[in-house]
Amino acid sequence: MYFLGDVHAESPLMKGFLESKEKYCLQLGDFGFIFKYNDWKWNKFLNHFARDYPEKMIFTILGNHENYDSIEKMPIKTMFGARCREIRSNVYAVERGEILSIEGLNILCIGGADSVDRMWREWGISWWNQERITDSDVKKTIEKGLNCPFDMVCSHAMPSFFMMRNFKSCFETDSEFSLEKIYFDIENNDVHIPLWLSGHVHCSIGMMYNDTLFRSLDIGEGIEYHQGDSIKDKFLIQ
């Protein structure tokens, strides 16, 4: 399976996945291709991918650079055990708190993040309220994490302790504290999280915390990972 950092609607950043042998891609938010509902410019890559790569599939967990109003108009389908919004026949946005069971991996997905630059953007045009991780998102994710087996967590942002260690107060928002609550509530109930992947910060950073490997992927960074691979060999930055 191919894990991919932020792409922000830059189609060249999809090249690694398109040229790989991997069938499935999980993109870690700020996908960006669904920014205007029926605008040809923004949909060009999606139409190209659906037409020319029918054997491949993209799943995105969405971030804080997405048009949530447009996404919420799209139908919900269950794919690999997870409720998803169907963007194209082979492109899906995974709903928050869902477990995607694919390629032998059970992935607990929690998209969303607060835009720290929203004062320079326009509500309903370039940022949307739905980007924030809500209390109901937190509750659903914790319940799913405690009651369904999973191998890893994929989010757009990172828990606040990761941000504080690596970025001080930068990016530290309500959504980061929500992710921190998810982590500790699951871990404190004796369900271990071995691996947590994210995008958002446009940096390759690896950090061990309580025997969990946290790893953020840089913008456009892609990593192939399969069941049985060594987590540290694949994701820990030496």
Side-chain angles (χ1 to χ4, degrees):
M1 187 154 179
Y2 196 91
F3 292 87
L4 179 62
D6 298 17
V7 292
H8 293 276
E10 296 291 335
S11 54
L13 297 180
M14 301 299 304
K15 184 178 179 181
F17 170 58
L18 298 183
E19 294 182 349
S20 76
K21 295 180 180 179
E22 301 297 326
K23 180 176 181 179
Y24 302 107
C25 173
L26 183 58
Q27 194 278 322
L28 298 171
D30 285 357
F31 189 50
F33 288 105
I34 320 126
F35 214 69
K36 295 186 179 179
Y37 187 55
N38 282 318
D39 188 281
W40 178 84
K41 173 187 174 183
W42 296 100
N43 289 311
K44 183 178 179 182
F45 169 77
L46 296 176
N47 295 336
H48 162 70
F49 180 75
R51 182 187 66 240
D52 295 344
Y53 295 89
E55 76 286 358
K56 287 180 175 278
M57 299 185 73
I58 296 170
F59 292 87
T60 176
I61 60 172
L62 301 178
N64 57 298
H65 287 264
E66 326 279 6
N67 186 336
Y68 282 91
D69 288 346
S70 292
I71 293 162
E72 289 172 359
K73 295 176 183 177
M74 298 174 183
I76 288 183
K77 289 193 174 181
T78 299
M79 301 294 296
F80 298 96
R83 284 166 50 86
C84 304
R85 295 282 178 175
E86 184 181 37
I87 310 302
R88 292 293 185 275
S89 60
N90 56 351
V91 182
Y92 294 87
V94 185
E95 295 281 278
R96 294 175 191 171
E98 293 290 317
I99 292 180
L100 188 70
S101 298
I102 189 168
E103 293 277 273
L105 296 171
N106 297 313
I107 306 165
L108 182 59
C109 300
I110 177 70
D114 292 81
S115 295
V116 296
D117 61 345
R118 61 181 176 268
M119 67 283 293
W120 295 292
R121 296 198 264 150
E122 185 175 353
W123 177 82
I125 301 296
S126 54
W127 79 274
W128 289 264
N129 290 332
Q130 301 98 307
E131 68 182 26
R132 175 168 293 179
I133 299 172
T134 66
D135 290 343
S136 62
D137 295 330
V138 171
K139 182 180 179 181
K140 177 183 176 182
T141 306
I142 292 170
E143 287 178 351
K144 191 64 75 79
L146 292 178
N147 292 292
C148 301
F150 67 94
D151 302 297
M152 59 195 295
V153 171
C154 284
S155 61
H156 179 56
M158 273 290 190
S160 59
F161 57 79
F162 177 95
M163 305 305 293
M164 282 296 292
R165 180 173 295 185
N166 294 289
F167 297 97
K168 302 302 181 184
S169 61
C170 189
F171 295 109
E172 191 178 45
T173 68
D174 288 345
S175 288
E176 275 80 17
F177 282 107
S178 293
L179 292 168
E180 181 170 293
K181 177 174 174 54
I182 290 169
Y183 176 75
F184 282 117
D185 277 22
I186 291 176
E187 283 275 337
N188 290 341
N189 280 279
D190 297 323
V191 177
H192 179 53
I193 302 172
L195 176 63
W196 187 308
L197 301 182
S198 79
H200 193 41
V201 294
H202 299 183
C203 294
S204 289
I205 298 176
M207 180 182 103
M208 293 298 302
Y209 185 90
N210 285 349
D211 205 31
T212 297
L213 175 55
F214 290 86
R215 176 69 152 82
S216 63
L217 270 62
D218 200 352
I219 185 168
E221 181 180 5
I223 295 178
E224 296 177 18
Y225 177 68
H226 307 95
Q227 184 185 40
D229 287 353
S230 166
I231 291 174
K232 291 184 179 180
D233 287 347
K234 284 286 184 176
F235 294 106
L236 186 62
I237 299 173
Q238 302 299 326

